[in-house]
Amino acid sequence: MKKHIVVIAGDGIGQEVTAVGKQVLDAIATKYNHEFTYDTALIGHAAIEETGNPLPEETITKSKASDAILFGAVGHPKYDNDPSAKVRPEQGLLGIRKALGLYANLRPIKLFDELLSASSIKPEILRGADILFFRELTGDVYFGERGRTDDNNTAYDTMIYSRYEVERITVKAFEAAMTRRKKLCSVDKANVLESSRLWREVVQEIAPRYPEVTVEHQFVDAAAMLLIKDPCRFDVVVTGNLFGDILTDEASQIAGSMGMLASASVGDTTGLYEPIHGSAHDITGKGVANPLASVLSVALMLDISFGMKEEAEAVVQAVDAVLKAGFRTGDIAELSTPRDMILGTQAMGEQVLKALL
Ligand code: NAD
């Protein structure tokens, strides 16, 4: 199969982990006789430095012309400490999601058995946890009207959802639940927020189309508590942009580390695949970032955008084999991990490539 992939590595460790992701794509192409061609594009701080724009038009054009996007991360400490900066790296990511109509962010949270004891949650609570989050990506407080009053003493962000935005992600979540354990949990704050009341109304309207799926509604505060108390109760979770942002970072602890979690942002066109972590400037340039989230993002790309189920499974199995062999990056190492088994980014990537052969 021929596929054209745009690699947008972005900032910080995005550059380091995406390089490994691309090597895995190359290895898959060789092993399974596919032809993957690549292009690169700028985003975030790297794009601001070069063009003054966190999302150059060229990046959008190249992305639209591709079959899939392998994404790294955006962000730079310069902007984190300057909330008033008008041009910001994250505008690049929000912008590309909007430009490509990527309205659903899929985040599978599954713990590799070998990492059971690396999590801060007790193994007996974690064992068997397997959750698929659907976070809405193009609405909510991220895109609603925002501003300050004239005296600069009051600020506001508007949480806004339209019926069609809730409908399309809810349908995707129900479809996914049908292929899994047929349970859907919708998370909102309908006891307080009007946008959440619309969210719940829409989910309830769609539910009768999927009579085999058991639906529950949870308020976001309760969901945050239940994720840690009893993660195995969840199968598919569908929620809005803000709640999803926070809950999926919390859920990353189920998988042991942010460095293990991949995500897919999909809509009706080109899909974008990225680790859930950010640019991690505290470890940038040290060569210690865990590349496995990027590698697992490649697995999602192969599966969802290219329909290459066997290839995707081979990548996941390779990660599993490397962990079973005892190799760890610093973020998933334990006190008992021998020092020579704690690898840097590139060395971990090489182990994955070896396991793939
Ligand atoms: P972060 O995800 O970059 O890092 C959080 C912590 O996890 C850090 O201690 C980091 O060292 C560690 N970590 C993250 N990924 C790791 C990996 N692969 N291997 C080992 N350790 C890893 O989040 P942050 O520190 O809150 O944000 C840093 C910057 O990233 C900010 O500018 C923020 O805006 C941006 N950000 C971008 C995205 C994105 O591009 N999707 C997501 C979140 C944050």
Side-chain angles (χ1 to χ4, degrees):
M1 231 184 251
K2 281 189 181 177
K3 294 290 172 191
H4 183 63
I5 299 150
V6 171
V7 179
I8 309 181
D11 303 323
I13 64 165
Q15 295 282 341
E16 301 165 32
V17 299
T18 308
V20 174
K22 182 174 172 293
Q23 287 164 2
V24 169
L25 276 168
D26 284 336
I28 287 290
T30 307
K31 182 170 178 181
Y32 292 91
N33 235 343
H34 297 302
E35 190 185 330
F36 294 158
T37 54
Y38 304 96
D39 208 341
T40 56
L42 288 170
I43 204 159
H45 174 66
I48 297 172
E49 291 288 287
E50 207 154 303
T51 69
N53 181 353
L55 181 61
E57 201 49 46
E58 190 189 40
T59 299
I60 300 177
T61 313
K62 284 181 178 179
S63 300
K64 282 187 174 165
S66 72
D67 294 306
I69 301 160
L70 181 62
F71 192 92
V74 288
H76 193 277
K78 191 165 114 186
Y79 305 89
D80 297 342
N81 301 326
D82 179 10
S84 62
K86 289 272 178 288
V87 177
R88 311 183 58 80
E90 54 271 27
Q91 289 164 348
L93 183 53
L94 295 180
I96 199 166
R97 286 171 179 166
K98 202 79 177 169
L100 297 176
L102 304 175
Y103 59 82
N105 186 234
L106 279 69
R107 298 188 176 193
I109 311 273
K110 194 170 177 183
L111 181 69
F112 286 90
D113 281 349
E114 293 69 31
L115 297 183
L116 261 179
S117 53
S119 171
S120 43
I121 305 172
K122 288 183 197 138
E124 61 269 27
I125 289 180
L126 278 184
R127 192 170 279 110
D130 178 2
I131 309 172
L132 179 58
F133 271 90
F134 278 77
R135 169 190 169 195
E136 203 286 330
L137 270 194
T138 56
D140 212 335
V141 282
Y142 294 75
F143 295 98
E145 192 187 326
R146 72 189 64 201
R148 296 209 181 185
T149 52
D150 290 342
D151 65 5
N152 205 29
N153 286 328
T154 307
Y156 58 93
D157 301 273
T158 314
M159 185 175 265
I160 183 163
Y161 265 117
S162 303
R163 179 173 288 278
Y164 85 96
E165 289 174 319
V166 185
E167 271 171 7
R168 61 188 183 177
I169 188 154
T170 302
V171 166
K172 275 210 186 298
F174 268 109
E175 296 288 342
M178 286 297 290
T179 67
R180 293 171 48 102
R181 302 195 304 280
K182 298 192 173 62
K183 281 170 67 181
L184 180 77
C185 175
S186 170
V187 176
D188 60 35
K189 189 71 184 164
N191 49 343
V192 179
L193 303 171
E194 197 53 41
S195 54
S196 276
R197 283 193 272 273
L198 174 69
W199 182 283
R200 191 173 284 217
E201 205 176 291
V202 172
V203 175
Q204 282 168 341
E205 280 168 15
I206 293 174
R209 290 191 226 159
Y210 301 90
E212 289 170 56
V213 178
T214 309
V215 181
E216 70 165 344
H217 300 270
Q218 289 288 349
F219 297 133
V220 62
D221 37 352
M225 179 270 293
L226 288 168
L227 263 179
I228 297 299
K229 184 171 177 247
D230 184 13
C232 294
R233 80 196 299 285
F234 293 102
D235 177 14
V236 176
V237 177
V238 63
T239 189
N241 208 343
L242 178 64
F243 301 153
D245 194 358
I246 298 165
L247 290 180
T248 50
D249 265 27
E250 182 192 354
S252 73
Q253 287 314 298
I254 295 171
S257 165
M258 305 256 282
M260 293 300 300
L261 283 187
S263 83
S265 298
V266 298
D268 298 320
T269 56
T270 309
L272 181 149
Y273 299 84
E274 59 173 325
I276 80 154
H277 60 72
S279 49
H281 279 268
D282 52 337
I283 56 168
T284 296
K286 296 184 177 158
V288 297
N290 184 347
L292 295 180
S294 182
V295 171
L296 293 169
S297 300
V298 164
L300 286 178
M301 178 192 292
L302 295 168
D303 180 2
I304 298 173
S305 276
F306 302 164
M308 299 176 181
K309 304 271 175 216
E310 188 187 339
E311 290 84 334
E313 190 50 32
V315 173
V316 176
Q317 289 306 323
V319 170
D320 196 35
V322 165
L323 295 173
K324 275 206 171 81
F327 295 110
R328 300 286 186 272
T329 42
D331 58 313
I332 49 173
E334 295 174 71
L335 283 176
S336 56
T337 309
R339 291 188 75 88
D340 62 343
M341 298 302 276
I342 303 179
L343 307 181
T345 311
Q346 197 50 48
M348 183 54 122
E350 279 156 22
Q351 290 302 329
V352 174
L353 295 176
K354 259 192 218 164
L356 260 179
L357 288 176

